[in-house]
């Protein structure tokens, strides 16, 4: 009759430990049922669940392991497991698995305590905790990022309430918390589409143009109400655009020169390109500025509004249909079809109410530094870190993406 034994080992890590320990087990034809290891600051915690074919051989196995581990200066604990306990554990592996991602400038014990309390309250058990960000410096750095990922398993009774609890905690502690199903699509996204204004860049271009036209306060007030979802985007866009009538074409270059990219935008786009992702700008702004970003970042697709200019002057109209929220969602699906991927493999990022349709169509919709109404409606939100925090949401470690990427070449676009 076989015997099941759970072995937990801890101590200072060094090369060859796994080989030495499992080498002893191999002499007794031991079967490995589960194995895992974590190393923190050069100290390892190593666990293995084994099945010894003949229970009469368990004593020699444990004796030899004790001698070996003592010689290696490692601590060990053995625990017998009954077949019933093993079956119950194995069946639990079939429960739904989710990923909880905690994002902040610094990770604190209180944050982890509060996040894990919510998962426990909703009947989710933590399987693994993984740090995705680099090891932090002990020196103060205002631009630092920190990310810890929890792999949890279980069946929450009320997913809506669970998400609401995380959203409330994120607001209270000034952190971001993402909760998503650990599905096949999570690390198999292939396309990322971005809003431009207040997402890829730190400004609303139409407001900047309005300042040049001397109608800044009027346009900014309409923009704010539109982004909050208080006004229909197409109607408010036409009203704002009309106020720009007569603006000299030369102003566009001047405005483009002073636009700042959002924190993390360059790192994110270049990492995505290096990883083989396709990228797109779907903007309710203007093509002049979107094309400028495309040249700088190597964006694959660009769709925005074509500002109509006659005799060197802005007419207060656009050429063609306005790219509003509904059109953004349509374009997302069209590009996905062209790229021959599922909409589940698309990430969409935006900040305004007009971005909600495309956020809901994407497999991963992210409200970035968004208005409250957008954060509450979107499934995921990032407010405390830069755009490159999206890499954490799709499971990449900082060490996997923090690499030098060659400057991108200009790209043509169009469906």
């Amino acid at each position: 009759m076989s015997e099941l034994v759970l072995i937990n080992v801890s101590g200072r890590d060094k090369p060859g430990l796994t080989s030495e320990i499992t080498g002893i087990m191999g002499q007794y034809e031991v079967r490995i049922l589960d194995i895992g290891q974590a190393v923190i600051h050069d100290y390892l915690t190593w666990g293995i669940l084994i099945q010894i074919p003949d229970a009469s051989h368990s004593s020699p196995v444990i004796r030899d392991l004790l001698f070996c581990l003592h010689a290696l200066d490692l601590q060990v604990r053995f625990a017998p497991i009954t077949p019933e306990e093993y079956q119950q554990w194995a069946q639990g592996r079939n429960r739904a698995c989710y990923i909880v991602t905690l994002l902040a400038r610094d990770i604190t014990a209180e944050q982890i305590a509060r996040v894990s309390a919510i998962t426990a309250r909703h009947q989710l058990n933590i399987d693994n905790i993984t740090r995705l960000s680099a090891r932090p410096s002990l020196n103060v750095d205002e631009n630092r990022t920190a990310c810890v990922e929890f792999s949890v398993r279980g069946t929450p009774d009320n997913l809506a309430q669970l998400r609401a609890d995380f959203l409330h905690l994120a607001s209270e502690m000034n952190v971001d918390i993402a909760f998503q199903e650990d599905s096949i699509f999570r690390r198999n996204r292939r396309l990322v589409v971005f809003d431009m204004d207040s997402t890829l860049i730190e400004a609303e271009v139409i407001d900047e143009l309005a300042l040049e036209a001397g109608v800044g306060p009027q346009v900014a007030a309409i923009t704010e109400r539109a982004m909050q979802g208080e006004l229909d985007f197409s109607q408010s866009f036409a009203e704002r655009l009309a106020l720009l009538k007569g603006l000299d074409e030369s102003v566009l270059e001047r405005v483009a020169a002073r636009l700042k990219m959002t924190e993390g935008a360059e790192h994110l786009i270049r990492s995505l390109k290096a990883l083989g992702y396709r990228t797109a700008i779907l903007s309710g702004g203007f093509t002049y500025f979107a094309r400028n970003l495309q040249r700088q970042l190597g964006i694959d697709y660009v769709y925005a509004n074509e500002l109509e200019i006659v005799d060197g002057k802005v007419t207060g109209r656009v050429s063609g249909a306005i790219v509003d929220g509904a059109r953004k969602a349509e374009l997302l699906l069209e590009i996905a079809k062209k790229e021959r991927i599922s909409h589940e493999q698309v990430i969409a990022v935006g900040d305004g109410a007009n971005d909600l349709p495309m956020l809901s169509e994407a497999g991963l919709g992210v409200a970035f530094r968004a208005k409250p109404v957008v954060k509450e409606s979107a499934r995921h939100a990032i407010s405390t870190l830069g755009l490159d925090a999206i890499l954490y949401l799709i499971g990449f470690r900082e060490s996997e993406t923090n690499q030098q990427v060659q400057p991108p070449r200009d790209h043509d676009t169009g469906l």
Side-chain angles (χ1 to χ4, degrees):
M1 184 176 178
S2 66
E3 184 173 356
L4 309 181
V5 181
L6 176 63
I7 306 172
N8 292 108
V9 176
S10 61
R12 185 173 287 278
D13 190 26
K14 68 176 183 178
L17 291 181
T18 299
S19 175
E20 290 193 54
I21 297 170
T22 55
I24 292 173
M25 297 177 186
Q27 298 173 20
Y28 295 93
E29 299 182 351
V30 165
R31 181 185 178 197
I32 306 298
L33 299 179
D34 196 16
I35 187 171
Q37 174 180 305
V39 177
I40 299 177
H41 199 64
D42 292 335
Y43 279 82
L44 71 82
T45 300
W46 191 85
I48 187 167
L49 179 60
I50 64 174
Q51 182 181 31
I52 302 172
D54 188 339
S56 63
H57 289 166
S58 63
S59 294
V61 173
I62 292 173
R63 179 199 62 210
D64 290 354
L65 285 172
L66 277 170
F67 281 128
C68 173
L69 293 167
H70 177 74
L72 294 171
D73 196 26
L74 296 173
Q75 305 299 313
V76 63
R77 182 171 65 87
F78 299 94
I81 304 295
T82 68
E84 293 75 19
E85 288 173 328
Y86 175 76
Q87 289 299 333
Q88 184 178 9
W89 172 84
Q91 290 170 5
R93 299 296 90 188
N94 297 324
R95 292 180 295 171
C97 190
Y98 300 92
I99 298 295
V100 180
T101 310
L102 171 62
L103 303 159
R105 294 296 178 181
D106 268 321
I107 299 297
T108 68
E110 182 183 5
Q111 293 165 3
I112 292 179
R114 299 282 296 279
V115 168
S116 56
I118 290 175
T119 60
R121 189 161 65 245
H122 288 273
Q123 307 305 310
L124 295 172
N125 187 60
I126 298 173
D127 281 349
N128 295 292
I129 302 176
T130 306
R131 174 184 48 79
L132 297 184
S133 54
R135 291 182 176 90
S137 167
L138 296 179
N139 299 323
V140 175
D141 180 3
E142 293 181 356
N143 294 319
R144 62 189 175 274
T145 64
C147 175
V148 171
E149 177 184 283
F150 303 79
S151 176
V152 301
R153 195 179 298 270
T155 306
D157 294 331
N158 190 329
L159 275 173
Q161 185 58 53
L162 173 61
R163 293 182 188 277
D165 289 348
F166 279 139
L167 183 62
H168 175 76
L169 178 60
S171 176
E172 181 183 339
M173 301 202 73
N174 193 31
V175 299
D176 293 316
I177 303 169
F179 177 80
Q180 56 184 310
E181 186 177 357
D182 192 11
S183 70
I184 190 175
F185 295 110
R186 181 167 177 255
R187 286 188 63 134
N188 192 31
R189 316 287 187 189
R190 306 309 318 148
L191 169 68
V192 188
V193 302
F194 298 91
D195 175 43
M196 179 175 67
D197 297 29
S198 298
T199 300
L200 279 175
I201 57 174
E202 294 182 345
E204 293 288 332
V205 170
I206 198 167
D207 291 352
E208 296 298 313
L209 294 174
L211 288 174
E212 298 288 340
V215 291
Q218 299 97 303
V219 169
I222 299 172
T223 299
E224 179 64 20
R225 294 183 66 196
M227 293 299 99
Q228 293 281 6
E230 298 174 8
L231 297 175
D232 172 76
F233 177 82
S234 295
Q235 179 184 355
S236 67
F237 183 71
E239 290 178 10
R240 288 175 287 168
L241 195 55
L243 292 171
L244 302 181
K245 183 177 180 180
L247 188 65
D248 194 271
E249 181 181 14
S250 64
V251 169
L252 274 63
E253 183 177 357
R254 186 160 68 244
V255 169
R258 70 172 183 250
L259 295 175
K260 289 181 59 179
M261 274 190 242
T262 301
E263 177 194 356
E266 292 181 89
H267 178 229
L268 171 62
I269 299 295
R270 290 176 181 170
S271 295
L272 291 172
K273 300 299 286 184
L275 293 166
Y277 285 68
R278 302 286 276 175
T279 55
I281 292 175
L282 306 182
S283 173
F286 303 112
T287 54
Y288 179 92
F289 303 95
R291 298 270 184 209
N292 189 47
L293 273 179
Q294 181 183 32
R295 286 189 292 272
Q296 294 179 65
L297 297 174
I299 301 289
D300 297 296
Y301 297 92
V302 165
Y303 292 93
N305 296 299
E306 191 68 44
L307 193 58
E308 186 180 80
I309 297 174
V310 176
D311 297 328
K313 300 291 183 181
V314 172
T315 67
R317 299 185 298 271
V318 293
S319 302
I322 293 175
V323 178
D324 59 7
R327 181 58 180 151
K328 287 186 178 188
E330 292 172 1
L331 287 167
L332 180 152
L333 295 175
E334 289 178 28
I335 298 172
K337 183 177 180 181
K338 176 180 174 62
E339 294 291 335
R340 298 181 179 180
I341 62 174
S342 161
H343 71 97
E344 288 285 350
Q345 295 175 277
V346 181
I347 301 170
V349 190
D351 72 299
N354 64 316
D355 295 313
L356 283 172
M358 76 171 183
L359 298 187
S360 64
E361 285 288 354
L364 179 65
V366 181
F368 179 73
R369 298 182 181 175
K371 306 298 185 290
V373 66
V374 182
K375 288 180 66 174
E376 292 170 5
S377 301
R379 283 170 290 174
H380 309 283
I382 294 175
S383 299
T384 60
L385 303 184
L387 266 180
D388 49 354
I390 289 169
L391 294 166
Y392 294 138
L393 298 190
I394 52 181
F396 287 105
R397 296 175 183 268
E398 188 170 341
S399 59
E400 294 175 309
T401 60
N402 194 14
Q403 55 184 296
Q404 295 296 321
V405 180
Q406 292 298 319
R409 296 175 297 175
D410 291 353
H411 285 66
D412 293 327
T413 188
L415 288 173

